[in-house]
C-alpha cells in the first residue's frame, strides 16, 4: 500500500500478464494504472477480443500501418479510439462510451445535444381560416 492511501483502494502501476479473456480484469473497466496482456492470432482475433465486453469507453491501437489503424479503429466498439497514444483528449472531441460505459457524450457539439430537448411551436396570428389540405378530401 502507498503512504496516505491506507483508507481506500490503491494500485501501483501494474501489468497483468497471462490473462484469459474470461478473467474479470479483462472483462471489467479498471480505472487505474493497470493494463492486461492477452495474446491474439491476427487482426480479426484482436477485434473479437476487444469487442467481447459489455464496456467500451476507450481503446488504443498501436501500429505503424495507417490503413490498419483506421480499419481496426473502425471495427472497435469504443467511444474513443487512440492510435499510437492513450488518453489524449481534445475538448472539441466527443467523450463517452459504448455499451455499459456510460450514457451520452461529454465535450464537442454532441454534449450540447445531450442538454437540449427540441420543441417546435407554430403560431398563427391570422384570423382567416386556414385549410392545410386545400379543401382536398383527407380520408375516404
Amino acid at each position: 500500500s502507498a503512504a496516505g492511501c491506507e483508507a481506500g483502494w490503491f494500485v501501483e502501476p501494474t501489468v497483468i500478464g497471462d490473462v484469459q479473456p474470461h478473467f474479470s480484469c479483462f472483462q471489467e473497466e479498471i480505472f487505474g494504472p493497470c493494463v492486461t496482456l492477452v495474446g491474439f492470432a491476427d487482426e480479426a482475433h484482436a477485434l473479437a477480443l476487444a469487442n467481447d465486453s459489455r464496456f467500451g469507453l476507450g481503446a488504443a491501437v498501436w501500429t505503424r500501418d495507417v490503413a490498419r489503424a483506421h480499419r481496426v479503429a473502425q471495427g472497435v466498439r469504443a467511444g474513443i479510439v487512440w492510435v499510437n497514444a492513450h488518453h489524449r483528449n481534445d475538448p472539441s472531441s466527443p467523450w463517452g462510451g459504448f455499451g455499459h460505459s456510460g450514457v451520452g457524450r461529454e465535450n464537442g457539439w454532441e454534449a450540447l445535444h445531450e442538454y437540449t430537448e427540441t420543441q417546435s411551436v407554430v403560431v398563427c396570428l391570422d384570423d382567416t381560416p386556414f385549410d392545410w389540405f386545400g379543401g382536398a378530401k383527407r380520408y375516404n
Side-chain angles (χ1 to χ4, degrees):
S1 82
C5 297
E6 294 84 2
W9 291 91
F10 177 81
V11 177
E12 293 183 0
T14 304
V15 176
I16 306 170
D18 297 323
V19 173
Q20 296 298 315
H22 65 276
F23 289 8
S24 62
C25 63
F26 186 78
Q27 289 294 323
E28 301 290 328
E29 289 181 324
I30 301 175
F31 289 96
C34 299
V35 63
T36 57
L37 302 179
V38 177
F40 57 91
D42 55 26
E43 187 177 302
H45 185 216
L47 279 169
L49 288 168
N51 292 328
D52 183 27
S53 175
R54 298 175 298 145
F55 303 98
L57 184 55
V61 177
W62 299 87
T63 180
R64 291 178 186 227
D65 183 335
V66 175
R68 172 175 278 176
H70 283 278
R71 190 173 54 246
V72 172
Q74 186 176 20
V76 173
R77 295 267 316 141
I80 188 167
V81 179
W82 296 280
V83 176
N84 298 332
H86 181 70
H87 217 274
R88 290 183 154 187
N89 296 326
D90 181 325
S92 66
S93 181
W95 173 260
F98 289 4
H100 288 262
S101 290
V103 177
R105 294 291 179 264
E106 299 173 18
N107 300 339
W109 287 107
E110 286 79 358
L112 293 177
H113 296 297
E114 293 294 325
Y115 299 104
T116 304
E117 187 171 12
T118 304
Q119 177 187 44
S120 297
V121 176
V122 179
V123 178
C124 179
L125 300 175
D126 190 348
D127 291 335
T128 306
F130 177 74
D131 183 359
W132 182 268
F133 298 98
K137 195 172 183 184
R138 274 183 78 189
Y139 304 105
N140 293 337

